Every structure is written in structure tokens, then in C-alpha cells.
Amino acid sequence: MIWNPSEGINLGFFTIHYYSLMFVVAFSLGWYIMKHIFIRENQSLEKLDTLFVWTVLATLVGARLGHVFFYERELLSQDFLRVFLPFRTKPHFEFTGFQGLASHGAAIAIIATMYFYSKKVIQKPILWVLDRVVIPVASGAIFVRIGNFFNSEIYGHITHKSSFLATKFVREDEFWQSHDLKGLTNINDTQKAFEALTTNPKFAPIVEQIPYRFPAQLYESLSYIFVFAILFYLYWKTNAREKQGFLFGLFLVLLWTVRFLVEFVKESQGGDIEKWFDGLFTTGQWLSIPFIIIGFYFVLKAKKSNLSKFRYKKIPKVRF
């Protein structure tokens, strides 16, 4: 597959980037799923609105800070404003959009935020909240990785074109670090130059030089569909929701095991942790291991919730 998508949907006065659109889809679907969970649990939808806002902020802020701390810590001293704002100030001012989000940072921020939400808003045990919020979070992970695929980022190692879903990322960073796009195409506009590569036959020899890679983003996204399906089924069709910490623990085990395994075919994103251990595992893998261990702990220690004294009323089945 030759992959060379546009940046997004051009409305003339504004471009809706596919990556941003995938976040909108992820949060919207998450709200929809959580709405039905709240209805089943007889919880006020006003509390859901608070949960939605807090989760969005925790995801974005946590993911950004996680990326800076784990992968690009030099920004703190070299270009501090870029940590929080969608532009760089050094060596020159340039609008970049928000670049660099780490799922590990988002996970930590969401868990911390759910603690305060459980205490201040819904007044339920934190594990009650986490057991339910991981379901929409798992669904959101599917679309975030699709967004990475549209952005031609977080791709895999070079492979043979016969590999499963092997993809030429025409806009991949590594190839263009050693090639001059504008010089090769004689087109000054970057977007038009990329478009010409796959629409103008005379540039076929250039595209031929771009290697096939594992589409690591799609591998993750497809795997997360199964993670979401398992959690969704267990919550709606079994009594797993009554065992505090079980669904949360299972989510940690499944999602971060997927991340750990996919990292074997993914291009390294660097980071100090990887350097400390001389490349034994990637930074993403080292960060995934504690989540997996914690997940197993909650799965093994899960027991009937103290909330079992509250009888669940029979509620008509909710159709999705």
C-alpha cells in the first residue's frame, strides 16, 4: 500500500486535520458509551458532563507532558513555551500545532483525575469509576492510532512489501531527512510537492526509493478493537463490573501488552529510558511493564465490590 493522504479536509478557510478529527470521534464515542453506562448505573448525566470535560483535559495535558518528560525533555530548557503552546519559538517562530503526545502520560493523568472525580463529584470508590471509564478509553485508543496513521507517524521498521499491510509512507520523516523534497520536485509548496509524488508519473522513481514499513499504528488500532470488545462484553454481559478493580486491571494488562508487543516492529521514539538500558527495550516498552504488573495485581485481587449491597434495578436493555 502506498500511503500519501492529505493533511485533512480543506474547507477553504480552514483545514480539519484528520488527526484532530480522530480525537473528536474518540471523545464523542466515549461520551456516548459512558452515557449508557451512567443510565444503567442510575447516575446523573450532569456528572457525566463533568467527567467528559475532566477526561478530555487530563488526556491532552497528560499526553503532552508525558511526551515531553519521557521523550523530549530538552524542550524544558530549549523552548519551554512549546511544551504548552502549538508553536515553536526557536530558532524561529513557527506554528506547528500540538505535536508529540504520549499515551503513558495520558494514562497517568486520567487515573489521577479519576481519583478526584470519584471523591469530589460522583462520590464512588475510584475503582468503581476506573472499571467503567476504561471501556470508552479503550475505544478511543483505536481512533488515536488511526490518527497517527493519517499523520504518517509512529510507523514501523522497514520490511518487505509482502508483509501484512506493508505500507510506503510517502511523507515519512526518516526518508526526507536525507532527501530534498522541494529540490526533487521543483515545487515550493510542501503539500503540493507531496501530492505530486503520487499523482505525477514522472516522480515514480522517487516514490520507488521510499521503503515499505510495518504499519505499526494499524497493528495497534486493530488490536485495541479486541481489547475494547472484551471489556465491553464483560461489563454488559457478565458480573465482572461487580468485582472492583477487575475490568481496570484487565484493561491495563491487555492494552499495555499490545503496546509492548507492537513496539518490537515500531521505529524507536527515543527517550532517556531506552538509553539507560542500552536499547534492550524501547522507552515505550519499559513504560508499559509497570502498567502490566499493576494490571495483574488488580485482576488477581479483584473481589466483590462493597457496593454489592446496593441492588441493581432491572433496567430495560439499552440498544446501541
Side-chain angles (χ1 to χ4, degrees):
M1 173 168 55
I2 297 177
W3 186 244
N4 185 25
S6 62
E7 285 187 311
I9 303 172
N10 192 338
L11 302 178
F13 62 93
F14 182 72
T15 298
I16 302 176
H17 291 262
Y18 291 122
Y19 185 65
S20 300
L21 184 60
M22 289 301 102
F23 266 92
V24 172
V25 172
F27 286 126
S28 298
L29 179 60
W31 180 88
Y32 179 78
I33 293 171
M34 208 62 188
K35 173 186 175 182
H36 288 285
I37 291 176
F38 267 48
I39 291 174
R40 180 179 193 176
E41 306 283 358
N42 288 323
Q43 296 298 315
S44 167
L45 293 184
E46 290 183 3
K47 295 179 181 179
L48 174 60
D49 292 337
T50 302
L51 175 65
F52 177 76
V53 173
W54 286 21
T55 303
V56 170
L57 293 175
T59 301
L60 298 178
V61 174
R64 180 56 182 158
L65 292 179
H67 173 82
V68 172
F69 184 79
F70 296 128
Y71 296 101
E72 207 173 357
R73 202 176 304 173
E74 62 272 12
L75 283 182
L76 294 173
S77 59
Q78 296 177 2
D79 195 355
F80 185 75
L81 289 178
R82 192 180 171 194
V83 173
F84 304 98
L85 301 174
F87 55 78
R88 65 165 54 96
T89 60
K90 298 177 181 179
H92 54 80
F93 183 87
E94 179 185 359
F95 179 80
T96 60
F98 286 105
Q99 297 179 337
L101 300 174
S103 54
H104 298 90
I108 294 171
I110 289 173
I111 293 172
T113 300
M114 291 308 101
Y115 171 79
F116 290 103
Y117 176 80
S118 68
K119 296 290 185 182
K120 303 296 184 180
V121 180
I122 203 167
Q123 297 180 339
K124 296 276 191 181
I126 184 173
L127 287 178
W128 185 96
V129 179
L130 290 173
D131 281 336
R132 286 149 181 81
V133 82
V134 294
I135 300 173
V137 168
S139 72
I142 299 169
F143 296 97
V144 171
R145 283 297 177 250
I146 293 176
N148 293 137
F149 184 68
F150 272 108
N151 268 7
S152 297
E153 61 188 3
I154 315 182
Y155 40 71
H157 298 310
I158 294 174
T159 185
H160 190 269
K161 65 179 180 180
S162 62
S163 298
F164 179 60
L165 296 177
T167 304
K168 272 183 186 285
F169 292 97
V170 175
R171 304 182 183 224
E172 68 156 77
D173 289 336
E174 288 199 31
F175 180 82
W176 295 110
Q177 286 175 0
S178 58
H179 294 78
D180 182 4
L181 173 65
K182 295 179 181 179
L184 289 171
T185 60
N186 290 319
I187 300 174
N188 290 325
D189 185 289
T190 301
Q191 295 306 315
K192 290 182 179 179
F194 274 126
E195 291 172 9
L197 288 175
T198 49
T199 57
N200 191 330
K202 75 176 184 180
F203 296 129
I206 299 174
V207 176
E208 186 64 27
Q209 297 178 51
I210 300 174
Y212 281 94
R213 292 183 178 275
F214 290 111
Q217 319 95 320
L218 293 185
Y219 292 169
E220 272 196 74
S221 183
L222 290 171
S223 299
Y224 292 156
I225 292 175
F226 291 101
V227 175
F228 166 70
I230 291 169
L231 295 172
F232 188 88
Y233 175 82
L234 289 175
Y235 174 80
W236 287 99
K237 299 297 184 180
T238 74
N239 69 342
R241 66 186 181 279
E242 298 177 22
K243 300 176 181 179
Q244 279 199 25
F246 179 79
L247 290 176
F248 171 60
L250 186 62
F251 164 82
L252 293 180
V253 172
L254 293 177
L255 187 131
W256 298 111
T257 296
V258 166
R259 176 66 185 273
F260 184 89
L261 295 176
V262 172
E263 286 281 330
F264 282 114
V265 299
K266 185 188 296 185
E267 280 293 322
S268 171
Q269 294 174 267
D272 291 337
I273 298 178
E274 185 173 330
K275 297 175 184 177
W276 295 341
F277 294 95
D278 197 26
L280 177 62
F281 290 131
T282 67
T283 296
Q285 287 174 313
W286 284 115
L287 293 174
S288 297
I289 292 172
F291 285 102
I292 296 172
I293 294 173
I294 293 170
F296 272 117
Y297 170 81
F298 280 109
V299 168
L300 296 175
K301 293 293 183 179
K303 57 184 179 180
K304 281 283 186 179
S305 168
N306 291 331
L307 297 179
S308 59
K309 61 184 179 181
F310 291 94
R311 300 287 180 86
Y312 285 95
K313 296 181 180 179
K314 290 186 177 180
I315 302 173
K317 290 185 179 179
V318 179
R319 294 183 179 179
F320 285 86

